[in-house]
Amino acid sequence: ELDLFMFSELSPGSPFWKPAGMVIWNALSELWRRENRGRGYREVKTPILFDVDLFKQSGHWDTYRDNMYFTDVEDRPMGLKPMNCPAHIQIYKDERRSYRDLPIRYSEAGLVHRHEPSGTLHGLMRVRHITQDDAHIFCTEEQVQEEVVQCLRFGFFLYELFGFEPRLELSTRPQKRIGSDEMWDRAEAALAGALDAEGLEYELNPGDGAFYGPKIDLHMTDSLGRSWQLGTVQLDYSMPERFDLLYTGADNNEHRPVMIHRALMGSFERFIGILLEHYGGELPLWLAPVQAIVLPVADRFSGYAAGVRDGLLAEDVRVELDDRSESVGRKIRDAELRKIPYMLVVGEREQGDGTVAVREHRAGDTGTLTAAEFAQRIHGELYSGALKPSNSSERHA
């Protein structure tokens, strides 16, 4: 109804994002990029198509290939990546690493493809074309607990912005897995230790870990009472072993790093779907595709209204002009249906005074301001919300 996205049978399970939807996508991406950077993550970008030998080495071939897409390129079998981890491993392996380099934190808004059966596809909540807010951390054994704790704190910071109260689950080894029992013992104990160190309540979810390691999953309940997984923090001793990852320790000997897989929104597609349900489409100001709309009460005020719009656009306010030859009541009603946060009504008095009459979605009239004063109000509300960076004490040094 808000004209944010569409679907087509030409590409089942893959949303097409319209201009209004891309405003939300880009706002979340900017938040993701800024907060990752402040916590010591470095952004990377990796291909989506790889030789199948990569997935045989990572373990995806044996445990996950039924959920993957394959093709031949010049008689060479290739696959679309279902996860970003093997690609990030290639970047790690491209250089010699020292203990002084660790932890290394890579982030990527990574595009992956997973074959979800057509009967399970469900709007934005379950799709085949998935953009993960992904990250992988390569660290020493001694750094594991602190890195896991910082991942959880990062997640809590993000969820608090949207009023989400996550439930935590510790998911342990599945039947279909790679790695030794000793590896799994160590990894499960390390995740439990991080949760206990933070005094966090969690439920045990036996057998639901990733095939390469146990995980802490963060779930929320949407406005319809449905449970969705948001983030995950996964501890992996197996892939560093399979890919022979190394770093040089202080003793000048070679050591094996530990790998942490981390996504906090989960995927941009599902996260936006959850937000739309959570807010009933009434998105906070910083996410709203249109933050304000200028409504002239008659055609003769359209010139002044256009000037107000142009001035606000110059102040980085997302604003539109409704200059249809309709009654102002009709324009207000349509803007309410579009859930636009602010309506700026202009008529003879406002034109004469150089002001706008401000109406707030659902709240009605909230007073008269100049366009400059309204822009200041918008920016004040934005800065007090998600656009304000988190405190440095919440970030990594």
Side-chain angles (χ1 to χ4, degrees):
E1 292 176 0
L2 298 178
D3 202 32
L4 304 176
F5 58 90
M6 57 168 274
F7 287 95
S8 168
E9 281 304 309
L10 295 173
S11 183
S14 303
F16 293 64
W17 290 93
K18 294 188 172 185
M22 281 307 299
V23 173
I24 302 172
W25 186 287
N26 288 335
L28 288 173
S29 297
E30 289 165 12
L31 170 71
W32 168 83
R33 185 164 285 115
R34 184 192 72 212
E35 293 299 331
N36 272 291
R37 185 170 56 244
R39 290 170 169 80
Y41 290 85
R42 290 179 290 170
E43 189 172 358
V44 299
K45 187 172 179 62
T46 57
I48 63 171
L49 188 65
F50 288 88
D51 189 298
V52 297
D53 284 345
L54 177 73
F55 305 117
K56 291 177 181 178
Q57 187 172 3
S58 69
H60 289 89
W61 180 263
D62 293 327
T63 59
Y64 209 77
R65 69 177 179 268
D66 290 344
N67 298 95
M68 294 175 61
Y69 295 105
F70 298 98
T71 187
D72 284 334
V73 179
E74 297 177 345
D75 297 323
R76 184 181 185 183
M78 308 280 280
L80 292 176
K81 65 178 179 182
M83 300 174 189
N84 299 297
C85 36
H88 289 189
I89 286 171
Q90 304 313 303
I91 296 177
Y92 180 91
K93 286 175 65 71
D94 190 52
E95 301 176 35
R96 287 185 61 86
R97 307 294 181 177
S98 162
Y99 73 97
R100 293 186 181 92
D101 301 323
L102 305 185
I104 292 173
R105 307 181 188 101
Y106 293 138
S107 64
E108 179 176 11
L111 177 60
V112 301
H113 290 79
R114 299 177 184 177
H115 177 63
E116 301 284 357
S118 57
T120 67
L121 298 177
H122 184 63
L124 293 180
M125 303 300 198
R126 190 171 292 278
V127 295
R128 292 172 173 168
H129 168 120
I130 305 163
T131 308
Q132 294 180 308
D133 70 315
D134 211 357
H136 293 93
I137 300 166
F138 301 88
C139 64
T140 68
E141 184 80 39
E142 294 74 25
Q143 293 167 335
V144 166
Q145 180 168 305
E146 176 63 16
E147 291 300 313
V148 171
V149 165
Q150 290 296 340
C151 288
L152 294 173
R153 289 179 181 175
F154 189 2
F156 298 149
F157 163 76
L158 289 175
Y159 305 147
E160 187 177 357
L161 293 176
F162 305 100
F164 294 161
E165 296 182 2
R167 303 185 316 281
L168 278 64
E169 290 183 358
L170 175 58
S171 299
T172 58
R173 67 196 75 185
Q175 285 191 341
K176 198 172 184 180
R177 61 183 184 268
I178 60 176
S180 67
D181 287 342
E182 186 272 333
M183 285 181 178
W184 281 88
D185 290 341
R186 260 195 300 161
E188 290 172 357
L191 290 185
L195 290 166
D196 293 339
E198 286 289 279
L200 296 170
E201 294 184 5
Y202 63 93
E203 297 177 7
L204 200 61
N205 187 12
D208 200 44
F211 70 85
Y212 46 77
K215 56 182 181 166
I216 300 170
D217 290 331
L218 299 102
H219 299 260
M220 63 84 65
T221 302
D222 69 15
S223 57
L224 300 180
R226 298 172 300 185
S227 179
W228 297 101
Q229 181 181 320
L230 291 171
T232 186
V233 181
Q234 306 171 350
L235 189 56
D236 182 2
Y237 290 94
S238 298
M239 284 199 198
E241 186 80 25
R242 294 173 78 96
F243 283 95
D244 194 26
L245 301 189
L246 298 170
Y247 71 89
T248 303
D251 58 1
N252 286 324
N253 292 323
E254 298 297 316
H255 298 270
R256 189 83 68 203
V258 185
M259 189 173 177
I260 298 171
H261 308 242
R262 188 229 73 193
L264 298 177
M265 296 181 194
S267 75
F268 283 90
E269 292 85 359
R270 177 180 288 184
F271 196 75
I272 292 173
I274 290 171
L275 288 180
L276 293 174
E277 295 285 1
H278 180 63
Y279 291 115
E282 297 177 358
L283 296 166
L285 186 66
W286 69 280
L287 281 177
V290 179
Q291 295 167 328
I293 188 165
V294 186
L295 309 177
V297 301
D299 291 345
R300 64 184 182 276
F301 304 115
S302 292
Y304 174 69
V308 169
R309 175 203 59 194
D310 294 344
L312 291 173
L313 285 172
E315 293 292 332
D316 290 326
V317 178
R318 296 193 291 268
V319 60
E320 289 184 359
L321 168 65
D322 185 351
D323 58 358
R324 296 175 299 162
S325 296
E326 298 281 359
S327 69
V328 70
R330 173 65 181 273
K331 293 177 182 180
I332 289 172
R333 186 164 60 252
D334 290 347
E336 289 281 355
L337 290 173
R338 292 177 63 190
K339 305 184 191 303
I340 296 173
Y342 287 105
M343 289 143 271
L344 309 179
V345 180
V346 297
E348 188 167 354
R349 179 187 300 173
E350 289 76 25
Q351 180 172 274
D353 295 342
T355 60
V356 295
V358 181
R359 285 183 61 91
E360 191 171 347
H361 176 60
R362 288 190 178 274
D365 296 332
T366 60
T368 300
L369 299 170
T370 66
E373 289 170 337
F374 177 73
Q376 289 177 351
R377 175 176 173 175
I378 288 278
H379 291 309
E381 290 186 30
L382 291 174
Y383 190 75
S384 67
L387 298 191
K388 183 178 181 180
S390 59
N391 295 329
S392 58
S393 62
E394 296 174 318
R395 302 177 178 211
H396 285 289

